[in-house]
Amino acid sequence: MTSEQDINKVSLEVDGKIYDGWKSVVISSGIDQICRSFAVEITDNFPGNLEKFTRLRSGQSVVVKIGTDTVCTGYITSTPISYDAKSVTVQVQGKSKTVDLVDCCSPWAAIASSKEHTDTSNSDSWKDVDPGKNSVQTVSVSKKVSVSWHNQSTQKIIADLCAPYGITVKCQSDIGNKYTNFTVNPGETVVESISRLLVKDNLIVTDDAFGNLVITEPGKAGDCEDALVTGENVLSASANFDVSKIYSTYAVVGQHKGSDLDFGKQASQDKGIAIDQNVDRYRLLVIKDTGQSSVGMTKSRADFERSYRSAQFSESTHTIQGWRQSSKKLWEINKIVRLIDNILGFSSKKSQLIKQLSYNLSPSGTTCSITTIPPEGYSRGESNKNPKSQTEQKSSSSGSWADVK
């Protein structure tokens, strides 16, 4: 029988060797961040014997596990060492494979188009890590480098952007049959390119435990078995209830390429307006939509901004004892959890989306900090899934800005 200590033992696998026995641990992930991170630390009395830990070097591939559960696959990014007269402290910090998408630029626009590259998604050093349990679509990549993409699907372009860094793209969402033209801007990182591609889709882009890039929707990971209940499993909680980023009116403006039948104001004055009836006083936010727009897109973007900013008001963080639910499964991001907290005002068994979480080990024991938000804050909206036809756009674009006032 596996003991509680064994199933929560944090280990690092580097070059086939296992490192464990850490005195403090922080492992963080979130649906709003494209790469998860970890920091582990061990302290020994001076002069001590930390030789095996000091062999770890920045840049090495690493797999982080809690018990037998893989929680991060990536690289060691730094190995700080410090000491004083009494002790030596060794820390190992690292991030998911997707860190290269955050830090690095796409080579597509910088490499000659005649040059070929190999699809590294099946030949990287972690090929045996992912047990293949995911029933999601793995997006294939192109075989030749291109400066830009013409009439290509969004997920295909993202897969091409990630391929040079050995990142596989897992698509858990129906992006639809949307084809687009895209060119990488000089100097922009890969994640900035991806953000430009998906800014109109209101999708969640994050990573998984195996270092893959995941395109998904809120709550796709399912429901939690346990609830967060004040007076039962919650040790502490906090919420800001900040209204500084909430507005009464959201106006998104944009434009799209005209044609013989679609020109002038109809092409250059796309606009979408969303009203938040819960805001008492007049507060206007105008957002400029980039790239090719439409009335449907601007309306969807306005609706999303209203929903997301309103949801942020109800964001809260609860700290509980332990890292696992009663079923022994780890708490995970992008799952729906019931929240019962009379002190913070969540008293109706409200279902919340786990936005961020952090596994923590300290002298106080193992705790898990869970940040939640209403799932409707990430709702894509029907107008985004089913863009209006050109005829409908013309009819809508003739409307006035009366709703703004």
Side-chain angles (χ1 to χ4, degrees):
M1 184 175 179
T2 304
S3 68
E4 188 75 20
Q5 185 177 5
D6 289 336
I7 66 171
N8 288 326
K9 179 184 288 186
V10 176
S11 63
L12 272 58
E13 183 177 345
V14 181
D15 293 336
K17 296 181 180 179
I18 303 299
Y19 299 83
D20 54 27
W22 308 103
K23 302 300 183 183
S24 67
V25 173
V26 178
I27 304 171
S28 303
S29 59
I31 60 176
D32 281 345
Q33 59 192 55
I34 211 168
C35 68
R36 58 193 61 200
S37 63
F38 69 89
V40 293
E41 184 178 278
I42 188 165
T43 301
D44 202 0
N45 293 333
F46 189 83
N49 182 15
L50 297 176
E51 182 181 354
K52 74 170 185 175
F53 297 102
T54 56
R55 293 173 187 166
L56 296 171
R57 293 289 180 266
S58 300
Q60 289 180 300
S61 299
V62 61
V63 176
V64 184
K65 291 186 176 183
I66 298 178
T68 59
D69 295 304
T70 299
V71 292
C72 183
T73 304
Y75 305 103
I76 295 174
T77 56
S78 61
T79 54
I81 301 176
S82 61
Y83 68 89
D84 56 25
K86 296 182 179 180
S87 64
V88 179
T89 299
V90 176
Q91 190 177 77
V92 181
Q93 301 175 4
K95 293 185 177 180
S96 169
K97 291 169 59 178
T98 50
V99 66
D100 285 342
L101 306 182
V102 178
D103 294 342
C104 304
C105 299
S106 171
W108 287 95
I111 301 175
S113 59
S114 60
K115 212 169 191 178
E116 295 187 1
H117 77 87
T118 303
D119 178 1
T120 57
S121 61
N122 293 321
S123 60
D124 62 70
S125 57
W126 294 277
K127 62 181 179 180
D128 296 323
V129 173
D130 192 338
K133 295 179 181 178
N134 296 325
S135 59
V136 298
Q137 174 192 0
T138 300
V139 186
S140 60
V141 302
S142 300
K143 298 300 180 184
K144 289 189 176 181
V145 180
S146 176
V147 173
S148 60
W149 292 260
H150 176 67
N151 200 28
Q152 294 291 317
S153 66
T154 300
Q155 56 263 51
K156 181 73 171 179
I157 298 172
I158 293 175
D160 287 349
L161 288 166
C162 295
Y165 293 104
I167 307 298
T168 299
V169 177
K170 302 283 187 179
C171 192
Q172 297 179 345
S173 174
D174 179 17
I175 298 181
N177 298 320
K178 189 184 78 170
Y179 290 84
T180 187
N181 301 326
F182 185 78
T183 300
V184 175
N185 290 331
E188 76 178 354
T189 61
V190 178
V191 71
E192 289 171 340
S193 296
I194 293 173
S195 296
R196 283 202 296 123
L197 274 164
L198 292 178
V199 68
K200 303 177 192 299
D201 292 286
N202 305 333
L203 288 166
I204 292 172
V205 184
T206 185
D207 68 336
D208 63 15
F210 306 101
N212 301 309
L213 183 75
V214 179
I215 304 172
T216 188
E217 296 195 43
K220 197 74 172 182
D223 296 334
C224 295
E225 291 87 349
D226 295 351
L228 299 176
V229 185
T230 298
E232 294 184 13
N233 59 351
V234 174
L235 299 176
S236 62
S238 63
N240 290 329
F241 299 120
D242 183 5
V243 298
S244 63
K245 295 181 180 179
I246 295 179
Y247 299 83
S248 65
T249 307
Y250 299 87
V252 178
V253 296
Q255 59 184 12
H256 61 273
K257 185 177 181 180
S259 65
D260 292 341
L261 299 177
D262 183 24
F263 56 90
K265 290 184 178 180
Q266 294 175 344
S268 63
Q269 293 185 5
D270 296 325
K271 62 182 179 294
I273 298 172
I275 307 295
D276 190 338
Q277 302 291 348
N278 295 317
V279 179
D280 294 330
R281 70 183 191 275
Y282 177 67
R283 285 169 55 82
L284 170 66
L285 177 67
V286 179
I287 300 171
K288 184 178 180 180
D289 198 25
T290 59
Q292 289 293 308
S293 191
S294 71
V295 172
M297 288 180 179
T298 54
K299 174 58 176 171
S300 175
R301 178 78 184 279
D303 289 339
F304 176 80
E305 288 290 339
R306 175 191 57 194
S307 299
Y308 180 68
R309 290 168 181 266
S310 177
Q312 282 186 306
F313 174 81
S314 298
E315 179 178 303
S316 61
T317 299
H318 291 73
T319 300
I320 61 173
Q321 194 74 53
W323 298 337
R324 298 179 182 272
Q325 302 175 65
S326 55
S327 64
K328 304 302 181 184
K329 291 182 179 180
L330 290 168
W331 291 92
E332 296 180 54
I333 57 172
N334 203 29
K335 280 200 168 188
I336 301 296
V337 61
R338 290 187 300 114
L339 179 57
I340 306 173
D341 187 333
N342 294 323
I343 298 176
L344 295 184
F346 303 104
S347 57
S348 58
K349 297 184 179 180
K350 185 175 179 61
S351 293
Q352 294 276 92
L353 177 71
I354 298 181
K355 177 182 177 182
Q356 294 176 340
L357 62 79
S358 178
Y359 306 118
N360 303 289
L361 170 64
S362 69
S364 301
T366 57
T367 59
C368 187
S369 296
I370 302 174
T371 300
T372 64
I373 192 172
E376 53 268 24
Y378 289 87
S379 175
R380 295 175 68 190
E382 290 303 317
S383 59
N384 195 49
K385 295 180 182 178
N386 303 298
K388 292 184 179 181
S389 67
Q390 204 169 62
T391 303
E392 290 174 312
Q393 291 178 20
K394 289 179 183 178
S395 175
S396 300
S397 62
S398 61
S400 68
W401 285 76
D403 292 335
V404 173
K405 297 181 180 180

